Structures are given as C-alpha cells and as structure tokens.
Amino acid sequence: MLFDPSRQQREQPSLLIVLHQERSTPGRVGQILVEKGYRLDIRRPALGDDLPTTLEKHAGAIIFGGPMSANDPHDYVKAEIDWLRVPLKENKPFLGICLGAQMLSKHLGGKVEADRDGKVEIGWYPLHATEHGRLLMPHWPKMVYHFHREGFELPRGAELLASGETYPNQAYRYGKNAWGLQFHAELTRAMMHSWVVRGAQRFGMPNAQVGSQHLEGRMLFDTPLRAWLGNFLDLVFEGKAQR
C-alpha cells in the first residue's frame, strides 16, 4: 500500500518529513505513523521547500535518505545539516535514516566517508545490537536492508545501538531524542522493486548484492524488520521502550 496523505486529519499531531526527490515517499514509516495518529508535513528542500525555524508546531522530525552525499556542496544539503540545531536545541524527537543519520553525525562533528576498500552495502546484511541497543529494545532484526556507499562516524557523546560488518555504525542515539539509522526499514514492496530497477548499475560495486538477492531477501527477512520498525517508532516518538 502506498502512503496516502488524504487519510490525515488537521487536528492530529504533525511530524516534519524531509524527503530528497520528487517521487520519494516516507514509505511504511509514513504508513505506520499515520496509523499511530500523526499527520505528516512533507517538505523537499532539494526542490525549494523551506524548513521551519522552530518545531513548536511539530511533534518531531525525520530526514530520509537520498542519492546525494552529506559531503556534497549543494546549498540545501548544507542547510539541512545546519537546520538540525532546531530539533537538538528544542529537544524534539528526531530520526535520521541513511543520509539523515549521516547529516546528524556531520552536524555533531562526525565524519561521513566511504569504506577505505571501496565496499558498499547494497542489499541485505547482518545487524548486531549492542548492549545499549538491547536495553532499549530486546528484539532487533538479524538482517536489514541497505543502499549506501558511505557511512558515518559515531558522534562524540552518542550511544551506539547496533553495528554491522562493513560499516560498523548502524544505529545510534544522541541525547534522549536524536536517533540515526544507517539501514532502511521503510521500504514497501513497490519501493524496493523501484530501487532495484533504478539502482541496478550499482550492483557491480564491491560487496553489493545483485537484484535477485534484494527481492529474495525481502521474502526471508522483511517480516521481523517491519515488526521492529513499529516498535522503534514508538520508542522514538512516544518514548515507549520495549521490555
């Protein structure tokens, strides 16, 4: 099912959603949040949308991924990274997914860079929860989906929640309300098919998986990933730790 903004009601609490391409959607993150009673305020700074100077009218914010790098010189990339001072200063829940997590790391003084051997994570790869991660959520997916060529340095003062093999920093929390994920739990089936078609030229990169492995992996690993996502969004935006 695609995200349907018509299901939203004006009286619902609003979450700021930052996307980076004209056809991008918040996927099942959006679906789950709407089901939980949130209204999504979608902005696309890459296409000229402004970001609010305060989140006083929002319950939190999410910056999603995109094909660009947090190191790119584009004005909107720099503006998004700088804008992260807003949720941090106001202590509003913030979630960065892939590019969004890298932007948060960079805002906090961390580096965003590729693996020294040129390896990417494109496909399904193992995830290992840390002790901090298990204390917050006892059940993490064993395999998660990736589509990236760069990773982030763990910012000073952040807690690592989950790690991986090629890119060790996969999930973290900074303070009480800022979170970053390197992997993608938001893809619907339609989104994954689109990414496999549009991103096929990257499947020959070191450590990348071919398209059939992406789709086969979804059948094997997606059910626990989706269940985890619903619980994780409860933790981020409603403070509901899982026991």
Side-chain angles (χ1 to χ4, degrees):
M1 181 178 66
L2 296 176
F3 168 69
D4 181 5
S6 67
R7 298 170 61 193
Q8 305 181 95
Q9 302 295 322
R10 286 290 175 184
E11 62 272 15
Q12 294 173 316
S14 177
L15 285 174
L16 181 70
I17 302 294
V18 180
L19 301 174
H20 295 99
Q21 294 176 287
E22 184 176 3
R23 296 184 179 181
S24 296
T25 81
R28 65 184 178 195
V29 164
Q31 295 171 4
I32 291 171
L33 290 172
V34 168
E35 290 169 359
K36 292 180 182 297
Y38 292 98
R39 183 171 61 86
L40 307 186
D41 176 8
I42 296 177
R43 312 280 183 101
R44 293 178 169 84
L47 302 181
D49 291 346
D50 293 328
L51 293 176
T53 57
T54 177
L55 286 175
E56 63 181 8
K57 295 183 178 179
H58 294 82
I62 306 176
I63 294 182
F64 283 77
M68 59 289 295
S69 168
N71 296 317
D72 285 348
H74 306 307
D75 288 343
Y76 71 86
V77 171
K78 295 178 180 179
E80 284 185 43
I81 294 172
D82 184 58
W83 176 84
L84 286 167
R85 71 185 188 280
V86 174
L88 292 175
K89 180 180 179 180
E90 297 181 359
N91 200 28
K92 284 295 186 76
F94 170 79
L95 172 60
I97 299 175
C98 196
L99 175 62
Q102 295 168 4
M103 286 179 164
L104 178 61
S105 174
K106 189 158 186 174
H107 178 88
L108 295 170
K111 294 180 180 178
V112 174
E113 53 192 2
D115 172 71
R116 65 181 62 186
D117 297 320
K119 291 182 179 180
V120 302
E121 286 180 328
I122 297 178
W124 294 88
Y125 301 88
L127 185 74
H128 308 285
T130 66
E131 182 178 356
H132 283 302
R134 289 190 296 272
L135 285 173
L136 288 170
M137 298 180 67
H139 304 296
W140 288 72
K142 292 182 171 60
M143 298 287 286
V144 292
Y145 188 69
H146 290 273
F147 216 108
H148 67 97
R149 295 176 289 177
E150 293 180 315
F152 54 80
E153 185 178 34
L154 187 68
R156 183 184 298 272
E159 293 179 341
L160 185 65
L161 305 180
S163 62
E165 295 171 2
T166 302
Y167 288 85
N169 300 322
Q170 292 288 333
Y172 67 100
R173 179 173 71 164
Y174 180 80
K176 294 295 184 183
N177 282 320
W179 309 76
L181 300 177
Q182 180 62 80
F183 55 91
H184 294 277
E186 78 275 17
L187 268 68
T188 63
R189 182 181 292 107
M191 288 171 68
M192 182 169 289
H193 278 273
S194 176
W195 285 27
V196 166
V197 171
R198 294 173 180 268
Q201 74 277 6
R202 299 183 182 179
F203 297 163
M205 300 179 75
N207 200 47
Q209 297 173 5
V210 298
S212 59
Q213 291 176 288
H214 295 226
L215 302 176
E216 290 168 3
R218 183 178 181 87
M219 291 187 290
L220 294 171
F221 309 125
D222 190 61
T223 297
L225 180 59
R226 191 190 192 287
W228 171 86
L229 176 62
N231 291 330
F232 181 70
L233 292 174
D234 278 342
L235 176 63
V236 173
F237 294 106
E238 300 180 18
K240 296 180 180 178
Q242 302 297 307
R243 299 300 179 198

